[in-house]
Amino acid sequence: MTLGPLSFPSRLRLSLAFLALSVLPFAARAANAATPPAPGQVTEPAIAPAQPRLPPLIQARGSELAIELTRADLRTQVRGSVATTLLTLTFTNPNSRVLEGELQFPLREGQTVQAFSLEMADGSMMKAVPVPKARGREVFETVVRQRVDPALLEQTAGEQFKLRIYPLAPKRPRQVQIELQEWLPVGNDGRQHLRLPLNFAGTPAQALQVQVSLPAVQAQQISLGEGLAAADVRTEGDSTLVSLQRAAFLASSEQLTSEGLAWPAVQRDTVLTSRIEGRGYMHAELQVPSQTLARAKPEHIALVWDASGSGLRRDHAREFQLLAALFKWQPQATVHLRVVRDAAEPLRQFAVRDGDWRLLREALEATAYDGASNAALWSEPIPMPAGKGLTLLFSDGLGNWGDSPAEPAKDGPAAFAVNASTTANALYLRQWAERRGGVLLDLFRQEPAQALGAVQQQSLRLARVEGEGFADWAVPSRYPEDGRMLIAARLTAASATLDLVFEGANGQTQRKALTLQAPPPSAEGASDFAAKRWAQLRVAEMLGQAHLHKAEIQSLGQRFGIVTPETSLIVLESLADFIRFDITPPAGPWRQAFLEQRERGQSAKLASKTQRLDALAQRFAEFEAWWAKDFPKKARPASKHAPLEGIEGERGVPPPPPHFARPPELMLSPPPAMAAPAPAPMAAPAQAFSADPNSARERSGVVAAPQRQGQAVTTIRLQAWVPDTRYQKRLAEAQAQDRYAIYLDERPQNAASTAFFLDAAEVFKAKGQLDLALRVLSNLAEIEAENRSVLRILAYRLQEMGAKAEALRVLRRVAEIAPDEPQSSRDLGLAYAANGQYQKAIEALWETATGQWDARFPDIDLIALNELNAIAAQHPGLDTAIIDPRLQHNLPLDLRVVLAWDADNVDLDLWVKDPNGEWVSYAQPLSYQGGRISRDAVRGYGPEVYSLKVAKPGRYEVRAKFFGSSRQVISGAPSLMLQLSTGFGSKKQQDRQVILRLQNPRDEILVGTFDVGLPTQTKP
């Protein structure tokens, strides 16, 4: 038995946080604790300096030694208001094993990744190229299995980015370069500020070198932050150079607040242009006079309070400071509080009188932060008198549950989004607010009093842009900031005139005109900042309703080489890899060879599709031949039992004896180098597993398939769920009214464990508290938004709990993340069928049956084809024109068992024992009475399927066996989903589903049994 080529040493996850210094908060303010509060006055605690979270740069669970940051080189070039920073990081792996690195970092608003490069084995730097996000992840993981050198930079939730690198070889340094570009803001002091990304997340750089070049800036005009006080400042030509070298640099919170420099800003309009691929682009910063009008005090205030799990990371002290300032400004108001997570709590009202909001504050302080984030609930209207209210949304903007938000009501109250999280999707929150007549209140860029000023005042708003010679204009905000307006556009003529029309709160308009020349052909490629900045702003505008613009977002990302939610950047090692995966290499000698090879390969692709269909038709014909054959139902001849007495230690040998002893030699362990590192303490499996299969208890309750003439009467019994961990037992034994409080008590120490939420949800479900079970389960979407394995098991559990619509939404997301895995379209097809969308079901299953899949997914095409035919037969009238006539034949079964699991590169096996005592498995795929099992899946997610056309009366025993894993499973143990069906493919089909988890290699479990009775007699 083998696990395939994925046998390199354990791949561990590494994390790097380039915490943008602009999110670092303000200085501490002393609490005024000496003076007692006046009656009705709420005393606000002082806000301590928010300390940036500084986890180790390298998080290598299970590694002996932390990865070292050997050197960090930062070189910044400033041209006007544009700063380009090349950050070169050198890592050394002191361990004896090869590791995979994962670096995670957020970007400031207005900051973009221009490029990144990875050091190759020969010491050269290979530049990354754009690729669709799902394709990039697929290629990266495929190449990693071959032990070569890929790297992948992708956007995850919000404005978070992740860079995956393989390999980090033992004792050998390796470099990665990341190029960042940003538009420098101008502060209230009239100076431009450059903040350096020197927060290496608590890990010391053994050597640090910084160099900043400032053209047309005099040395005496530059002010240095405290951390740069020792920098060398000198003049070279018309530029000033700021240089700094340090050894063993470790950024502390005090250093981080001052690691920057500033100089006087130019007080004039600034325009930049680019010419790329024959098209012109512009980006401008324009001076706009400020104009404000006082807003009437609202009599009604709606608070939408995001209480999802990620809300724990928000700075609630700052949020309360803002509310205190709000009620000081308006001391008489009716507050409508809506607490939202995966679902909304009932609306509550609070009367604030004379600024006393203590009851409201107590309610907010008692809020439990738990569950996923349903962004659609943020926009649900809250009834308030017209013209007398406003809305404040307190959230990090990271929606991951439910439907997409609806369009805002045109006559609704002004709505403001409040950000108090360093990991927020500030871009989305800004759009959410501005589309509702408000602005983003960023409490990490503004004091609460400043943020309140934006609520108290109505300012100019960009209503439209008129003129000619341009198209597709985009802005980061429709409101000028500090008297400046940023705008980018695509140029369509040799010259362009842009007339920006602003509307004031009093209805008056104000205009700002800009005339410019498009860059000439000779400027082609000279600078790409304006082009990339336009593309970035254009993408940002579409992210408010990203589900409507996925294709355009992906197209812009690939054309301009920028990272978007639909586009990643990937590094490949060889021309052969670029050709194999059909990814255009970077400009250079490889590109022409690639283009020539691609042209020759088009006809081969067409031939390959035809060959796949022919091969499927042949295998389907073989399955039909098995289905048409009559197998004996009498007792098996004694001589056939002989092989069952011997057990050997390799795949392809006879199966185990009836009582399934657990000899170590039956388990295919990964090679020693691949042994998975011991995970952090995890919960025990949700089910209790016993070495003695006869000790497994059965679920109370039996399902009997409806009888039909000539059909066996079948009952299904599934293994009981038994609480096993300390917290499970504590939850199970609690009173119903105390159970959720106990869960919240246990959650902090288990917040990173997906197993905890799976187990806790199972307790709530078993105790009949289904709403709480769904809330607890939804945390999996909150903590693992991009992990397809966790999302799959989440969807399976949702289906088991009857939340079919939510399961369908989750599986749509999985199909977006992993379209290269046939399980994605198969799961989606079955979810469509469960939701009554049968036409979409057969279309998704046809995609599974005819797609080009990796060889590690054997027989899934045939499995999906049989499911497709069953659905079509059960629901006549569906359009099956897309299906090849050779493949349209429903093949009903008495019994069908399907085993799937949630983790890639894990080997689980399905074993079924029939009334003859004969085991059917990978080792014996066909039984004496005709039970058939699909081909063995040892490196994917399954499924493995047992099929039996006519069932002999007696008991059928179903087991699952965990042989081994060549990866560290995210939940600490693989979860399996097993579906048992009777009357499959007929209108009498009955299904039972169970989800279990196996804790260790060589675990096995009795999943359930079929008890097949004698066929009903034909009545005269």
Side-chain angles (χ1 to χ4, degrees):
M1 172 177 170
T2 61
L3 285 177
L6 187 59
S7 55
F8 49 83
S10 174
R11 294 183 283 138
L12 304 177
R13 309 183 74 179
L14 321 175
S15 296
L16 165 66
F18 295 108
L19 293 182
L21 298 183
S22 62
V23 305
L24 294 176
F26 322 103
R29 289 172 295 197
N32 186 15
T35 304
Q41 179 183 354
V42 178
T43 301
E44 297 301 322
I47 301 177
Q51 297 296 319
R53 298 177 178 85
L54 298 179
L57 170 62
I58 307 299
Q59 293 182 356
R61 290 176 289 177
S63 63
E64 296 82 8
L65 300 170
I67 303 300
E68 299 168 352
L69 177 59
T70 310
R71 184 179 181 86
D73 291 275
L74 185 148
R75 296 178 181 272
T76 299
Q77 178 74 38
V78 178
R79 293 184 178 89
S81 295
V82 180
T84 303
T85 298
L86 182 64
L87 183 62
T88 303
L89 302 175
T90 305
F91 299 105
T92 299
N93 173 15
N95 298 280
S96 58
R97 295 180 291 161
V98 174
L99 305 177
E100 175 190 329
E102 183 176 296
L103 295 78
Q104 297 184 357
F105 54 97
L107 295 182
R108 294 193 297 270
E109 190 176 2
Q111 191 176 54
T112 63
V113 175
Q114 291 291 98
F116 89 90
S117 302
L118 179 69
E119 183 183 18
M120 295 289 101
D122 61 1
S124 63
M125 300 298 293
M126 176 66 72
K127 190 174 181 179
V129 294
V131 64
K133 183 176 180 179
R135 179 65 169 160
R137 194 267 317 151
E138 172 197 358
V139 171
F140 178 87
E141 294 181 359
T142 301
V143 174
V144 162
R145 293 187 191 101
Q146 301 168 348
R147 308 187 192 185
V148 291
D149 292 9
L152 180 70
L153 178 64
E154 57 186 351
Q155 186 171 352
T156 56
E159 294 158 69
Q160 308 297 306
F161 292 77
K162 178 172 67 177
L163 176 58
R164 300 172 66 183
I165 305 170
Y166 179 84
L168 294 176
K171 316 299 182 184
R172 174 186 163 188
R174 190 160 200 195
Q175 285 189 351
V176 59
Q177 289 182 339
I178 303 174
E179 184 177 318
L180 305 174
Q181 203 164 65
E182 63 182 307
W183 189 268
L184 299 179
V186 176
N188 294 329
D189 57 1
R191 299 168 70 82
Q192 285 190 310
H193 294 259
L194 173 66
R195 300 169 180 85
L196 304 177
L198 296 179
N199 180 357
F200 301 127
T203 296
Q206 296 176 9
L208 171 70
Q209 182 169 335
V210 176
Q211 181 172 299
V212 181
S213 176
L214 299 166
V217 178
Q218 298 179 6
Q220 62 269 26
Q221 295 178 305
I222 299 173
S223 58
L224 301 175
E226 180 182 349
L228 293 176
D232 175 49
V233 181
R234 67 184 187 279
T235 300
E236 287 191 2
D238 63 349
S239 297
T240 297
L241 297 182
V242 179
S243 302
L244 176 69
Q245 291 188 1
R246 290 189 189 177
F249 173 79
L250 175 61
S252 67
S253 59
E254 291 77 13
Q255 289 173 320
L256 287 171
T257 59
S258 56
E259 295 287 1
L261 57 160
W263 59 94
V266 177
Q267 300 298 321
R268 57 178 171 79
D269 294 345
T270 304
V271 181
L272 297 177
T273 60
S274 298
R275 186 179 178 89
I276 304 294
E277 297 179 352
R279 292 184 177 183
Y281 302 89
M282 59 78 60
H283 182 273
E285 180 182 287
L286 307 177
Q287 306 291 309
V288 179
S290 60
Q291 182 185 101
T292 60
L293 182 68
R295 187 186 302 275
K297 293 184 178 182
E299 297 177 14
H300 293 260
I301 300 173
L303 297 185
V304 182
W305 198 268
D306 181 1
S308 62
S310 62
L312 282 168
R313 299 194 295 266
R314 302 205 312 266
D315 190 335
H316 301 302
R318 293 192 178 281
E319 294 175 334
F320 290 165
Q321 284 279 352
L322 175 61
L323 289 174
L326 176 67
F327 295 126
K328 184 176 181 180
W329 169 58
Q330 169 53 304
Q332 315 293 335
T334 299
V335 178
H336 309 261
L337 174 64
R338 171 174 285 157
V339 175
V340 296
R341 304 179 182 84
D342 58 308
E345 292 185 2
L347 193 65
R348 287 181 282 174
Q349 286 191 4
F350 297 84
V352 175
R353 297 293 178 262
D354 300 324
D356 184 354
W357 63 289
R358 283 177 294 181
L359 293 178
L360 171 62
R361 176 166 181 155
E362 289 171 2
L364 295 175
E365 288 176 333
T367 298
Y369 294 91
D370 186 36
S373 303
N374 189 341
L377 299 176
W378 305 342
S379 305
E380 288 290 324
I382 296 177
M384 291 185 290
K388 296 184 178 181
L390 63 80
T391 299
L392 293 174
L393 166 66
F394 291 79
S395 175
D396 57 14
L398 300 174
N400 46 45
W401 198 252
D403 295 319
S404 299
E407 288 285 340
K410 293 183 179 180
D411 57 350
F416 298 81
V418 181
N419 173 36
S421 172
T422 59
T423 57
N425 187 348
L427 187 151
Y428 178 83
L429 290 174
R430 180 187 294 275
Q431 288 191 0
W432 185 93
E434 292 190 3
R435 293 174 64 176
R436 291 162 174 80
V439 297
L440 170 64
L441 309 179
D442 192 336
L443 300 185
F444 283 110
R445 296 180 61 188
Q446 303 167 292
E447 292 277 2
Q450 291 177 297
L452 177 63
V455 177
Q456 296 170 319
Q457 302 289 332
Q458 301 179 71
S459 61
L460 283 175
R461 180 181 183 274
L462 179 63
R464 61 190 182 275
V465 181
E466 301 173 347
E468 56 187 16
F470 69 95
D472 300 328
W473 61 273
V475 294
S477 172
R478 286 183 174 249
Y479 294 90
E481 294 187 13
D482 298 320
R484 293 168 181 259
M485 188 78 195
L486 301 181
I487 185 170
R490 180 171 59 85
L491 302 177
T492 59
S495 62
T497 300
L498 287 76
D499 192 9
L500 284 68
V501 182
F502 295 89
E503 289 183 351
N506 56 6
Q508 295 181 347
T509 61
Q510 181 173 318
R511 293 176 179 265
K512 173 75 176 183
L514 172 66
T515 300
L516 71 154
Q517 300 296 314
S522 60
E524 179 75 29
S527 171
D528 62 0
F529 175 80
K532 288 196 172 187
R533 180 72 166 143
W534 169 80
Q536 204 81 3
L537 292 178
R538 179 76 173 159
V539 167
E541 286 194 340
M542 292 184 285
L543 290 180
Q545 290 187 301
H547 63 291
L548 301 178
H549 304 286
K550 289 183 180 294
E552 187 174 355
I553 292 172
Q554 183 180 111
S555 175
L556 288 172
Q558 289 190 254
R559 280 176 53 205
F560 293 92
I562 58 176
V563 182
T564 75
E566 303 297 328
T567 318
S568 300
L569 298 179
I570 193 167
V571 171
L572 295 176
E573 183 184 36
S574 66
L575 175 60
D577 283 335
F578 284 105
I579 293 173
R580 175 187 175 193
F581 297 111
D582 195 23
I583 296 175
T584 303
W590 282 1
R591 180 168 291 184
Q592 185 59 37
F594 167 82
L595 295 175
E596 293 173 357
Q597 181 68 27
R598 171 190 274 178
E599 187 174 349
R600 290 194 296 268
Q602 295 302 317
S603 58
K605 286 184 179 180
L606 295 175
S608 174
K609 185 174 182 179
T610 301
Q611 291 168 359
R612 289 199 312 273
L613 199 59
D614 290 342
L616 177 60
Q618 180 179 347
R619 288 167 46 233
F620 185 63
E622 293 170 356
F623 191 86
E624 283 185 296
W626 161 83
W627 185 84
K629 182 178 178 180
D630 290 329
F631 288 87
K633 301 303 171 184
K634 59 185 180 181
R636 183 179 181 183
S639 61
K640 296 286 186 179
H641 289 280
L644 294 178
E645 301 303 322
I647 302 177
E648 300 178 29
E650 300 294 335
R651 273 199 176 279
V653 301
H659 283 304
F660 225 151
R662 303 168 81 187
E665 61 268 19
L666 260 181
M667 188 273 291
L668 176 63
S669 299
M674 270 305 300
M682 288 287 197
Q687 286 71 29
F689 304 134
S690 170
D692 178 6
N694 294 323
S695 68
R697 290 183 279 169
E698 295 180 334
R699 287 188 189 271
S700 60
V702 175
V703 173
Q707 298 182 11
R708 63 178 172 84
Q709 188 169 317
Q711 183 185 30
V713 179
T714 305
T715 58
I716 302 173
R717 298 178 186 271
L718 301 178
Q719 178 190 350
W721 172 80
V722 182
D724 188 68
T725 65
R726 179 193 58 79
Y727 63 74
Q728 284 176 282
K729 292 177 180 177
R730 188 181 176 205
L731 289 170
E733 294 169 359
Q735 296 295 317
Q737 67 270 20
D738 298 331
R739 189 167 292 116
Y740 190 64
I742 291 173
Y743 156 79
L744 293 175
D745 180 58
E746 294 283 353
R747 176 181 163 140
Q749 55 266 36
N750 294 287
S753 168
T754 58
F756 169 74
F757 296 107
L758 289 168
D759 297 342
E762 186 68 20
V763 176
F764 284 105
K765 175 195 166 194
K767 298 298 183 179
Q769 296 175 286
L770 187 59
D771 288 345
L772 287 175
L774 291 173
R775 177 192 296 181
V776 171
L777 190 60
S778 74
N779 282 283
L780 298 186
E782 184 86 351
I783 64 176
E784 293 288 348
E786 293 281 330
N787 188 305
R788 61 196 187 276
S789 298
V790 171
L791 292 179
R792 278 196 180 105
I793 201 63
L794 168 60
Y796 297 160
R797 283 290 176 94
L798 288 170
Q799 289 173 329
E800 187 184 35
M801 292 184 182
K804 297 178 181 178
E806 283 299 344
L808 181 58
R809 292 188 187 100
V810 172
L811 290 173
R812 285 193 187 119
R813 179 60 183 146
V814 172
E816 293 172 354
I817 295 172
D820 59 295
E821 294 174 345
Q823 290 78 10
S824 300
S825 53
R826 176 179 175 266
D827 286 343
L828 186 58
L830 296 178
Y832 276 131
N835 279 268
Q837 301 179 53
Y838 302 112
Q839 188 63 50
K840 287 185 176 181
I842 64 171
E843 290 168 1
L845 291 170
W846 180 246
E847 179 184 342
T848 309
T850 58
Q852 184 174 3
W853 311 118
D854 192 279
R856 60 200 177 94
F857 304 124
D859 274 0
I860 193 168
D861 50 356
L862 187 61
I863 293 166
L865 182 61
N866 283 324
E867 291 163 338
L868 179 160
N869 279 315
I871 292 170
Q874 292 164 342
H875 304 281
L878 297 175
D879 183 1
T880 58
I882 60 173
I883 305 173
D884 189 306
R886 295 174 294 174
L887 304 175
Q888 294 190 36
H889 188 185
N890 184 37
L891 306 174
L893 304 170
D894 269 2
L895 300 181
R896 187 174 189 259
V897 182
V898 182
L899 175 70
W901 50 94
D902 69 328
D904 197 4
N905 301 309
V906 168
D907 187 8
L908 279 165
D909 282 321
L910 173 64
W911 300 72
V912 180
K913 184 176 73 172
D914 66 16
N916 289 330
E918 183 177 9
W919 288 96
V920 179
S921 69
Y922 67 86
Q924 183 171 307
L926 185 65
S927 71
Y928 177 73
Q929 71 146 326
R932 171 186 174 127
I933 203 163
S934 58
R935 286 186 290 175
D936 191 18
V938 298
R939 291 187 292 125
Y941 308 87
E944 293 186 1
V945 177
Y946 171 83
S947 304
L948 183 59
K949 178 185 176 184
V950 179
K952 176 181 177 178
R955 170 161 290 196
Y956 293 76
E957 184 177 306
V958 180
R959 289 183 177 269
K961 172 82 173 175
F962 181 18
F963 271 90
S965 169
S966 54
R967 58 164 286 167
Q968 182 178 358
V969 183
I970 191 71
S971 61
S975 293
L976 61 89
M977 189 272 284
L978 194 137
Q979 181 170 300
L980 302 94
S981 301
T982 62
F984 174 79
S986 73
K987 292 187 178 296
K988 303 292 186 179
Q989 179 172 331
Q990 291 281 311
D991 301 315
R992 288 294 301 274
Q993 179 175 302
V994 62
I995 298 174
L996 308 172
R997 192 163 67 252
L998 299 176
Q999 187 69 13
N1000 301 301
R1002 83 183 66 166
D1003 266 353
E1004 75 235 8
I1005 182 173
L1006 171 64
V1007 181
T1009 61
F1010 291 98
D1011 286 319
V1012 179
L1014 294 173
T1016 57
Q1017 299 299 315
T1018 302
K1019 295 182 180 180

